[in-house]
Amino acid sequence: KVIKLKNSVFKLVKNSKININYVKTEYAIKIHSNKMNMFADISDIIEIKKSGRILGAKHVPRVILEFWKDTKSQHQRKFLNECFIFIFYCASDWRSFLTTLIANNIGLLNTSNLIGGYNKWLELSDTIEEAR
């Protein structure tokens, strides 16, 4: 027997779009060099190794964001508590919409989601770190 989901992933993504900031890729490319912006790639490390990432982006795995942000956690990463504007992205933008909402819920309020994600970035820009 299949258990019916309370909320589908489509509904979760749709609802997250209402509650977060987002930035179009064209604008993100223009502000990429501003050191106040931190691009955060939430993709799986296997994806990054295969496809590369935006130049200078930090890898922030979606599954550990809360632990990296919490100053009381042994896994805390200081850059998540610095004065950056965080622009989260993944391959398309579904996972990063959800991640941006989670980031807001844990108190990281200076966040945006990159519309179209890394795929759109590749379409419009060559400012990337090549896959290794």
Side-chain angles (χ1 to χ4, degrees):
K1 181 178 177 179
V2 176
I3 298 172
K4 186 177 178 187
L5 292 174
K6 182 177 178 182
N7 285 306
S8 74
V9 70
F10 306 105
K11 186 175 180 181
L12 292 172
V13 170
K14 182 180 176 183
N15 289 342
S16 72
K17 290 179 181 182
I18 297 167
N19 295 301
I20 63 168
N21 297 319
Y22 39 89
V23 60
K24 290 184 177 183
T25 308
E26 295 84 353
Y27 180 70
I29 290 167
K30 290 179 184 176
I31 65 169
H32 177 254
S33 62
N34 182 330
K35 300 297 182 203
M36 291 301 298
N37 298 310
M38 173 67 67
F39 286 78
D41 190 329
I42 61 115
S43 304
D44 184 275
I45 193 66
I46 295 168
E47 290 177 271
I48 295 171
K49 286 180 178 179
K50 181 179 174 187
S51 303
R53 65 178 164 196
I54 293 173
L55 184 66
K58 291 272 192 190
H59 180 224
V60 181
R62 180 172 181 246
V63 298
I64 199 162
L65 170 65
E66 298 89 335
F67 297 95
W68 280 18
K69 169 67 177 136
D70 192 331
T71 57
K72 295 177 183 170
S73 168
Q74 65 182 4
H75 303 290
Q76 189 254 345
R77 299 292 190 270
K78 290 184 181 185
F79 74 90
L80 283 171
N81 289 295
E82 293 177 6
C83 290
F84 290 113
I85 297 168
F86 292 92
I87 302 169
F88 290 99
Y89 73 93
C90 61
S92 58
D93 65 16
W94 288 38
R95 290 173 291 168
S96 56
F97 267 121
L98 297 173
T99 302
T100 305
L101 182 61
I102 289 168
N104 287 338
N105 288 341
I106 62 172
L108 191 63
L109 301 178
N110 49 340
T111 61
S112 291
N113 179 66
L114 180 64
I115 298 293
Y118 188 61
N119 293 336
K120 185 72 172 176
W121 185 277
L122 287 174
E123 190 180 303
L124 301 175
S125 177
D126 62 356
T127 311
I128 65 165
E129 292 177 20
E130 296 291 332
R132 301 179 220 161

